[in-house]
Structure formats: C-alpha cells, structure tokens
Amino acid sequence: METRALVLAAAVRLFGERGWAATGMRDVAREAGVSVETVYAGFRSKSDLLMTALDAAIVGDAEPEALGERPEFAALATGTRRERIAAAARLVTAIHQRTAGVHLALREAAASNGDLARTLREDQQRRRISIEQGMTHVIGRAVTRAELDGVWAVLGVEVYQLLTDLSGWSPQQYEEWAAGVIDRLLDA
C-alpha cells in the first residue's frame, strides 16, 4: 500500500503542476521512485492513474475509505448551524486545495478524450451528490433543488481557481467567503 500511496502522491503533484499532456507514466514513476512497470501494475492506463489520483486528492490520502465515511464529513452534522457551515467551508476548501490542479488536468484531457469527457461529467454528478449529502447534514433536512443548484455551482473548483489563482485570494479568504455563501444559499 505504501508504494501505491507514493505513486498517487506523485501523480497528484505532477498532474497538478504540469497538466495532462506534460505528465507521463515515466514521469510519475521517476517522481515516486519506482519503476514504470510498477506504475502500470497498479494502474491500467494514464487515464486510470489520473482518475485514481483525483479520488485520492479528494480525500487526502490513498486509503479506500470514502469521503462520506470520514470524520471531516461527519463534522457537517455536529455543533451549531454556524459550526456546521464552517466545517463544510473548511472541507470544501481543503478538497479544492488538493484537487484544483488535478481537475485542470482532467478538463484538459477531457477535451480530446471521449472516455475522460464522460468521466468528467460523472465526476460532476458525484460531486453534486456529495454536496447534497453534506448540505443535508449541515441544515438537518433535505435541501431544495434551488439550494442544491446554488451551492453546487458556487462551490465548484472552477470558482475556487478563479478566486485563488486569478484574484489572489488566500485559501483562508476563500473558506470564509464559502461559509458566508453556504449560509446565504441555505434557507434557515
């Protein structure tokens, strides 16, 4: 499992820094300190590696435990409304910090690869489901369609990238803004 974690960490770093086209399996192997054969033994293709790297970046490690089963997700259902909203903003910010570059690589790859374009759409649907589950924990009831649409759109990684990469916001500024947005978008 340690080798897999090294390979995934290298893939997250390289896809995030270089993008899809400039990151090869050999590059990932070199960065992880393993052979190319080892990388291929764990991942069928570069596409498979990218998607597994994205999944690892979302949760922050190579462990098989899903996001919804982790303590940081459970924190969305405990404490006051303000504390639950702060936990949601903290979680979203941490995920975006880890995944922003990998998401860019996926969008780059999806432009010329139909399978990855489909995977990108599926990834967006999974994110929507996670947002719905998380916001349901935060407010203690099912979210409305309008609430879900608003939170899902505004808390997308693209907005994070616009605010942090282009506007120069710190992750802390984004997190505080995200908490305010969540609070405003979810009817009390």
Side-chain angles (χ1 to χ4, degrees):
M1 191 63 151
E2 185 176 315
T3 299
R4 183 175 177 81
L6 287 171
V7 170
L8 288 172
V12 167
R13 193 168 36 260
L14 293 178
F15 282 127
E17 292 171 3
R18 298 179 181 181
W20 169 256
T23 301
M25 298 292 263
R26 287 187 189 289
D27 301 318
V28 173
R30 189 176 316 110
E31 181 80 9
V34 300
S35 69
V36 176
E37 293 78 16
T38 298
V39 175
Y40 275 108
F43 307 93
R44 296 180 318 270
S45 65
K46 184 176 168 181
S47 298
D48 183 38
L49 177 59
L50 175 65
M51 293 315 302
T52 306
L54 178 58
D55 288 344
I58 288 169
V59 296
D61 58 47
E63 298 301 316
E65 187 177 22
L67 178 63
E69 299 169 5
R70 291 174 178 256
E72 54 271 35
F73 197 84
L76 304 180
T78 60
T80 65
R81 176 184 165 95
R82 172 177 243 127
E83 290 167 337
R84 294 188 313 266
I85 288 171
R90 189 170 39 256
L91 177 60
V92 167
T93 302
I95 290 170
H96 288 339
Q97 284 181 281
R98 295 188 300 259
T99 64
V102 182
H103 271 288
L104 280 175
L106 175 55
R107 284 197 304 272
E108 174 192 349
S112 61
N113 181 315
D115 288 339
L116 285 175
R118 192 170 27 266
T119 300
L120 177 59
R121 286 189 301 277
E122 291 166 1
D123 178 64
Q124 285 293 351
Q125 282 307 112
R126 279 194 310 273
R127 190 176 72 78
R128 185 178 175 85
I129 291 166
S130 293
I131 293 264
E132 182 175 20
Q133 292 168 341
M135 293 305 102
T136 296
H137 286 324
V138 168
I139 60 176
R141 62 163 173 78
V143 292
T144 67
R145 175 77 185 257
E147 289 170 331
L148 176 58
D149 289 347
V151 173
W152 177 65
V154 175
L155 295 185
V157 70
E158 299 82 3
V159 173
Y160 173 82
Q161 289 169 317
L162 286 172
L163 294 174
T164 58
D165 292 349
L166 298 177
S167 293
W169 287 20
S170 70
Q172 180 63 35
Q173 286 173 298
Y174 174 83
E175 183 178 322
E176 291 168 6
W177 174 83
V181 166
I182 293 167
D183 189 39
R184 285 187 297 279
L185 288 174
L186 298 177
D187 293 331

